[in-house]
Amino acid sequence: MPGPLNAYQEVEKSTMSGRALEALILNKAAMRLLDVRNNWEASKQDGELDDALKYNQKLWTFFQVELTDPANSLPLEIRQNLLTLAKFIDKRTLEVMISPAPEKLDILISINQNIASGLNN
């Protein structure tokens, strides 16, 4: 059931810039992964690990599509660097899915938080 917080978040999203929204979503993905990391055993059993990984993967897949769009206004070098990062994230996500370990989430969390921080500056 949607509550006041959900309603506020929807209004906030509709008034945010693209960069701020991307930062918010990256932070959300990082927090989901961090929550799984901090509650490892329960998260694995409840399927939260898979859910958090899939959410993060969908987010980065969206970024990949946007970065390969010829109309994207980012400089080519930045797009190429972000695409390389996205490729690494895909690889690490598969590694975690194949052989789960909480410490493997650290780099995914860190990347999301660092990119989000850069978007907010």
Side-chain angles (χ1 to χ4, degrees):
M1 179 169 132
L5 180 59
N6 288 341
Y8 173 78
Q9 288 174 335
E10 289 304 313
V11 169
E12 182 180 40
K13 281 187 230 179
S14 69
T15 61
M16 288 183 156
S17 72
R19 289 174 59 112
L21 182 58
E22 289 169 348
L24 177 74
I25 295 169
L26 279 163
N27 276 320
K28 180 179 177 181
M31 294 309 297
R32 288 182 74 170
L33 292 166
L34 184 61
D35 187 48
V36 167
R37 169 83 161 93
N38 291 339
N39 301 294
W40 183 251
E41 290 305 317
S43 295
K44 276 181 31 184
Q45 292 174 355
D46 294 341
E48 291 175 32
L49 172 61
D50 286 341
D51 290 346
L53 287 171
K54 287 175 185 174
Y55 180 86
N56 196 57
Q57 191 172 38
K58 285 178 186 175
L59 171 61
W60 279 93
T61 299
F62 172 78
F63 288 154
Q64 289 173 40
V65 169
E66 290 296 311
L67 291 165
T68 57
D69 183 348
N72 189 302
S73 62
L74 283 175
L76 180 60
E77 184 178 358
I78 293 174
R79 288 188 300 168
Q80 289 172 333
N81 289 341
L82 287 169
L83 285 167
T84 299
L85 192 57
K87 184 177 177 181
F88 171 81
I89 289 168
D90 287 343
K91 181 180 175 189
R92 177 51 64 105
T93 299
L94 289 175
E95 288 172 4
V96 176
M97 288 178 168
I98 291 167
S99 180
E103 63 276 1
K104 290 181 180 179
L105 297 176
D106 292 344
I107 190 67
L108 296 175
I109 295 164
S110 178
I111 289 169
N112 283 4
Q113 289 173 332
N114 285 321
I115 298 290
S117 177
L119 288 168
N120 282 326
N121 290 330

